[in-house]
Amino acid sequence: MTRLAQSTDLSMFVTHNASGHAHMDLAVEGVGCASCIRKIENGLKKTPGVVDARVNFTDRRVAVDWNDDTLTAGEVIEALEHIGYEAHPFQPARVESEETKQARWLLRCLGLAGFAAMNIMLLSVSVWSGNVSDMTQETRDFFHWLSALIALPAAAYAGQPFFQSALRALRTRQVNMDVPISIGVVLALGMSLVETATHAEHAYFDSALMLLFFLLCGRYLDHAMQRRTRAVAGNLAALKADTAHRFGENQEIVLVPAAALRPGDRLLVRPGERVPADGVVVSGTSDIDESLVTGETHPRPVSAGATIYAGSVNFSGALTVRVTAAGTGTLIDEVQRLLDKALETKSRIVRLADRAARLYAPVVHTAAAVTAIGWLVAGASLHDAIITGIAVLIITCPCALALAIPAVQVVASGALFRSGVIINAGDAIERLAAVDTVVFDKTGTLTLPDMRVENAADVDPAVLENAARLALSSRHPLAVALAHEARQRVPFEGAVEETGKGVRAIIDGVEAHLGSATFCGRPAVSASGDTESSVIFYSRGDTAVAFSIRQRLRPDAVAVVESFRARGLALHILSGDRQTTVAPVAKALGVASWQGGLKPADKIAFIEALKSLGCNVLMVGDGLNDAPALAAAHVSLSPISAADITQAQADGVFLGERLAPVLDAVSVSRRARGLMLQNLWLAVIYNVIAVPIAMAGFVTPLIAAAAMSGSSILVTVNALRARKRKDAAS
Amino acid sequence: MNVLVYLVPMALALGLAGLAAFLWSLRNGQYDDLDGAAVRVLDDEDVLKNSDNANERVASHS
């Protein structure tokens, strides 16, 4: 990221606020605890030119204000790096600021409803106790009018979320669950006014406001969960954004964020760099490593006219590329789309709940009307009949059907985000819960996408440090892997890279070489039995070391595969890579069923065969050649390093170096499905018991309001249990 | 009955004061980062150190 800071156009991320200071939002990696907040804020504020820095711990972001006469945006990011935190600038999506406004509005309504409900309750309790003692009618009327004075404006404002939603539905000639709630509230308030005017004993202002208060609690919780998942997705978009070298007007190279690329831009892709966008080669020849795209680890030669994909690595020669698809430019929108899809696509249970909710409103209205008429016919007064009808209207709770099940979905998505899994489709949770077979790809899925030095522990630390710092000057992928081991990320001065051979520099008076065996003056060593790893040599004076570099298995792959086996899931490995590379991996993981050298069509055939046996297949894969297989499986996941096309096909994407997110995805989903069914049953039982009791006239509107809000809160809190990752098996 | 004349308005005034305080805290952005607020309480930094920083900042801008 230091390259980015040096010479880059970050202006798309910078805004100016009222006092003329520049402002930027950054997503920060590695913020885990209280001391991180203090370190970041203090460290930034000490930097001359920085006016203010504030960490948002919930969203893992930093908002920085600075004086742009004395400091550039790039220097701000560098300052953060010196403190020890990698930061990525981003533009908060417009949707986020709207959601923040909505959240504040809900909180305002909640606060007002709470204030009104409590003050009215204060007066109501006085009236109830006065009714059984010696309160005069004038006092009671005075208290009722006071309650009306508080209740009517408060309900008019705090009820807006429900009234607006109900009106919106009614305008399209439909009813949603807000319609009965609105009718109930309005009727209760209206009846209470009539009662007050006729000097009656009871008024129901407290019921109406208490109902609004508890329902708003549920709404706010729901909204807060959704906001949190969007914030994580926004950060994800920032973390994935990288840079590109674009040709400017006079053929000068400008370093730009990949998000700023447009089709038609011409880029320079240097040896060892990752291709930032899909495009066509204009000039230059090189070898491209498309292991992310096809799974094949041997590089493909390209020259003018060839198509290359975002995510492949350029090996040997510099290429000029014309962009055909602004790949990561739309990534922020893409992640937004992922989220919107995830929160909108309905699972089967949710669709069932929706249908029930649509039936619910007419059924409830009918039941209330029938109750009122029934009591009238049975000889009760008009007042009593209507009150009983209102009680029935209020007590029936749609909440479990239309609130708690989506709440389980949102909470489960949040739990999955925290585990590092982003769900692409809402019904993915249900499908993940039903999985009984898992099919893994090898490269990039079971193994880490980037290469690391294998025998670093066997080398003298001083020699390792020298070799690693020398490697910083080279762009060759093997050298980049070695450079990871450098603790002091300062390259040696005067390092010269000789293309195709290696890099050399003078370290403390003695010349050092890093590269191929012949370049380092060592005899070419025949490849060791391990066909997976590549070797890079280092020599300086008398010291000579061979570094073995390979793709490692993900650190917890063995443990995760074992957990899957413990849960009784069948496991398979399908890979497009050579059989010799797949066999050791399968052996290390203890997976008996594996195949290598497969083409996309072969993978699909295998999955179809499994499906015809009745298995529910989860496919985990990352290369372009996995994309059709991902679509063929019942449900699919891919790592974040996968090609964009693959990610779009998969039902979910998981982050980080560990395989544990895949395990969490399955266990969280199983738990979530269990909770959805529980909530459904709770809702049915509650309604079956409560409605007849209300119809029989045993329930006053106040008790109805308490019961309804109580059950609503109960199912919402039950939904929160989806946050835990353990399911019954562990 | 006479006592109600000032008790009821007082109760309402107190309630309104509570509501005003809540709305102020909302506008002040105190609900935007609830996890952060929970964690900042555990911070050990000296108040003295902070005021030194503030003086530094003021000095560098003037």
Side-chain angles (χ1 to χ4, degrees):
Chain A
M1 208 58 182
T2 346
R3 303 180 307 178
L4 180 64
Q6 276 155 16
S7 59
T8 231
D9 184 17
L10 287 172
S11 52
M12 63 184 286
F13 298 116
V14 178
T15 56
H16 285 85
N17 53 21
S19 45
H21 294 132
H23 173 94
M24 183 163 63
D25 291 298
L26 301 158
V28 189
E29 290 184 63
V31 178
C33 60
S35 54
C36 299
I37 303 183
R38 181 54 66 190
K39 254 200 280 182
I40 293 179
E41 290 185 351
N42 274 357
L44 277 177
K45 287 187 201 166
K46 277 206 197 84
T47 314
V50 172
V51 170
D52 193 19
R54 180 104 188 150
V55 173
N56 185 322
F57 192 69
T58 315
D59 295 338
R60 301 293 198 265
R61 294 178 185 170
V62 182
V64 188
D65 290 327
W66 74 94
N67 208 335
D68 51 358
D69 301 331
T70 36
L71 207 60
T72 65
E75 286 167 349
V76 172
I77 297 184
E78 251 191 58
L80 255 181
E81 270 200 19
H82 278 141
I83 302 175
Y85 294 93
E86 224 189 294
H88 309 263
F90 74 103
Q91 304 160 296
R94 200 172 26 103
V95 180
E96 271 196 31
S97 51
E98 279 176 23
E99 280 200 342
T100 316
K101 261 193 283 184
Q102 172 96 346
R104 287 202 177 180
W105 178 55
L106 277 178
L107 264 185
R108 266 202 302 269
C109 293
L110 183 67
L112 188 60
F115 155 78
M118 287 190 274
N119 277 282
I120 296 176
M121 212 40 140
L122 177 130
L123 297 165
S124 292
V125 171
S126 320
V127 168
W128 297 338
S129 36
N131 274 342
V132 295
S133 61
D134 59 352
M135 178 187 261
T136 60
Q137 190 198 288
E138 291 84 18
T139 319
R140 188 174 55 226
D141 280 348
F142 170 57
F143 275 27
H144 278 167
W145 282 117
L146 210 48
S147 306
L149 185 66
I150 301 176
L152 292 173
Y157 185 82
Q160 283 301 315
F162 305 98
F163 299 150
Q164 283 178 7
S165 158
L167 278 176
R168 245 196 315 247
L170 285 174
R171 243 179 257 134
T172 59
R173 294 172 167 279
Q174 286 174 349
V175 282
N176 61 11
M177 71 166 177
D178 290 328
V179 173
I181 292 177
S182 308
I183 295 183
V185 167
V186 168
L187 263 185
L189 288 173
M191 272 302 296
S192 308
L193 271 179
V194 167
E195 297 282 285
T196 309
T198 56
H199 310 292
E201 273 196 2
H202 298 284
Y204 308 100
F205 299 108
D206 41 34
S207 329
L209 265 301
M210 196 161 79
L211 186 65
L212 283 178
F213 175 67
F214 283 119
L215 284 179
L216 282 168
C217 282
R219 285 278 147 111
Y220 179 71
L221 264 181
D222 204 35
H223 190 85
M225 285 295 156
Q226 289 199 14
R227 259 187 79 205
R228 195 174 283 211
T229 55
R230 273 196 217 279
V232 173
N235 286 7
L236 168 73
L239 262 64
K240 265 209 81 175
D242 40 15
T243 61
H245 296 273
R246 182 168 61 190
F247 281 106
E249 288 90 23
N250 40 1
Q251 304 312 311
E252 272 182 8
I253 301 181
V254 178
L255 190 59
V256 297
L261 290 177
R262 301 278 164 264
D265 283 345
R266 289 196 315 136
L267 308 174
L268 176 69
V269 183
R270 297 196 282 211
E273 286 186 345
R274 208 172 272 277
V275 179
D278 296 343
V280 171
V281 178
V282 169
S283 67
T285 51
S286 175
D287 295 299
I288 299 279
D289 172 6
E290 291 187 321
S291 50
L292 272 193
V293 173
T294 60
E296 177 58 59
T297 45
H298 280 309
R300 164 171 79 103
V302 294
S303 53
T307 319
I308 55 178
Y309 296 107
S312 33
V313 178
N314 184 14
F315 257 160
S316 39
L319 292 174
T320 308
V321 178
R322 192 183 69 243
V323 175
T324 53
T328 48
T330 58
L331 182 64
I332 295 175
D333 301 321
E334 186 63 39
V335 174
Q336 201 59 54
R337 264 198 293 276
L338 285 184
L339 250 201
D340 290 337
K341 258 173 74 180
L343 296 175
E344 280 171 15
T345 322
K346 308 287 172 87
S347 69
R348 206 169 34 98
I349 296 188
V350 174
R351 262 181 273 130
L352 169 67
D354 265 352
R355 258 207 319 250
R358 238 173 301 142
L359 278 181
Y360 155 83
V363 164
V364 159
H365 293 155
T366 321
V370 159
T371 313
I373 296 177
W375 276 100
L376 265 182
V377 161
S381 66
L382 179 65
H383 156 267
D384 281 346
I386 296 188
I387 292 298
T388 318
I390 293 182
V392 170
L393 194 62
I394 295 183
I395 206 173
T396 48
C397 180
C399 316
L401 295 175
L403 179 63
I405 288 180
V408 170
Q409 197 159 311
V410 171
V411 172
S413 306
L416 287 171
F417 279 152
R418 242 168 294 121
S419 304
V421 181
I422 300 198
I423 295 290
N424 199 352
D427 59 345
I429 294 183
E430 215 187 356
R431 283 182 281 142
L432 278 168
V435 160
D436 60 12
T437 311
V438 187
V439 172
F440 287 102
D441 173 45
K442 179 189 77 75
T443 318
T445 306
L446 288 173
T447 62
L448 288 169
D450 54 343
M451 301 195 277
R452 289 296 165 101
V453 177
E454 256 232 300
N455 55 346
D458 302 331
V459 178
D460 177 12
V463 173
L464 177 63
E465 182 70 13
N466 276 343
R469 286 179 61 195
L470 186 53
L472 279 170
S473 309
S474 167
R475 298 234 183 264
H476 193 274
L478 293 181
V480 169
L482 180 56
H484 272 294
E485 304 289 333
R487 240 162 295 137
Q488 241 192 328
R489 301 194 65 79
V490 178
F492 288 114
E493 289 208 358
V496 174
E497 179 166 20
E498 296 183 22
T499 336
K501 299 213 193 99
V503 58
R504 59 183 159 80
I506 314 245
I507 306 179
D508 291 336
V510 181
E511 198 174 38
H513 294 258
L514 180 73
S516 63
T518 41
F519 184 65
C520 295
R522 302 288 144 191
V525 180
S526 62
S528 58
D530 194 359
T531 39
E532 265 209 61
S533 54
S534 313
V535 183
I536 187 172
F537 291 87
Y538 169 79
S539 69
R540 174 174 171 268
D542 290 332
T543 342
V545 183
F547 291 102
S548 160
I549 301 186
R550 69 190 297 183
Q551 284 187 323
R552 294 176 305 164
L553 266 188
R554 289 186 185 251
D556 57 346
V558 180
V560 166
V561 167
E562 192 51 48
S563 302
F564 270 126
R565 238 197 306 271
R567 278 177 171 67
L569 291 158
L571 301 165
H572 307 269
I573 300 182
L574 297 181
S575 176
D577 213 351
R578 294 154 284 153
Q579 299 232 354
T580 45
T581 55
V582 182
V585 170
K587 188 150 165 266
L589 295 174
V591 174
S593 161
W594 61 270
Q595 296 186 33
L598 291 178
K599 302 228 176 1
D602 302 327
K603 291 196 183 188
I604 297 180
F606 189 86
I607 293 183
E608 293 292 339
L610 281 176
K611 275 163 75 169
S612 65
L613 286 173
C615 303
N616 273 317
V617 180
L618 162 66
M619 166 91 195
V620 189
D622 77 324
L624 246 196
N625 72 341
D626 291 323
L630 289 179
H634 279 110
V635 62
S636 54
L637 290 173
S638 73
I640 193 67
S641 49
D644 288 327
I645 302 180
T646 314
Q647 286 187 39
Q649 276 282 26
D651 291 309
V653 169
F654 66 94
L655 319 171
E657 289 197 343
R658 304 163 61 77
L659 202 53
V662 176
L663 183 64
D664 287 338
V666 173
S667 56
V668 167
S669 302
R670 284 184 172 185
R671 188 178 177 79
R673 192 181 60 169
L675 282 172
M676 280 192 208
L677 287 173
Q678 256 179 36
N679 276 342
L680 209 50
W681 277 114
L682 271 176
V684 168
I685 293 177
Y686 167 81
N687 278 308
V688 159
I689 296 181
V691 173
I693 294 184
M695 284 177 118
F698 291 119
V699 174
T700 67
L702 185 64
I703 300 182
M708 196 266 213
S709 355
S711 76
S712 160
I713 297 209
L714 178 68
V715 283
T716 308
V717 166
N718 197 23
L720 287 178
R721 283 169 62 202
R723 261 193 298 192
K724 283 195 250 152
R725 297 180 207 173
K726 309 271 182 231
D727 59 352
S730 44
Chain B
M1 179 55 188
N2 294 333
V3 75
L4 285 177
V5 170
Y6 63 85
L7 267 188
V8 168
M10 198 159 71
L12 288 177
L14 280 177
L16 275 171
L19 182 64
F22 173 72
L23 290 176
W24 169 82
S25 71
L26 186 58
R27 217 168 338 131
N28 204 19
Q30 294 190 15
Y31 294 94
D32 291 339
D33 181 18
L34 294 173
D35 288 345
V39 151
R40 278 174 207 267
V41 188
L42 303 173
D43 192 23
D44 278 341
E45 288 270 325
D46 262 334
V47 175
L48 225 50
K49 239 196 225 165
N50 278 345
S51 63
D52 277 346
N53 280 346
N55 289 337
E56 244 181 54
R57 257 203 333 273
V58 169
S60 71
H61 275 261
S62 53

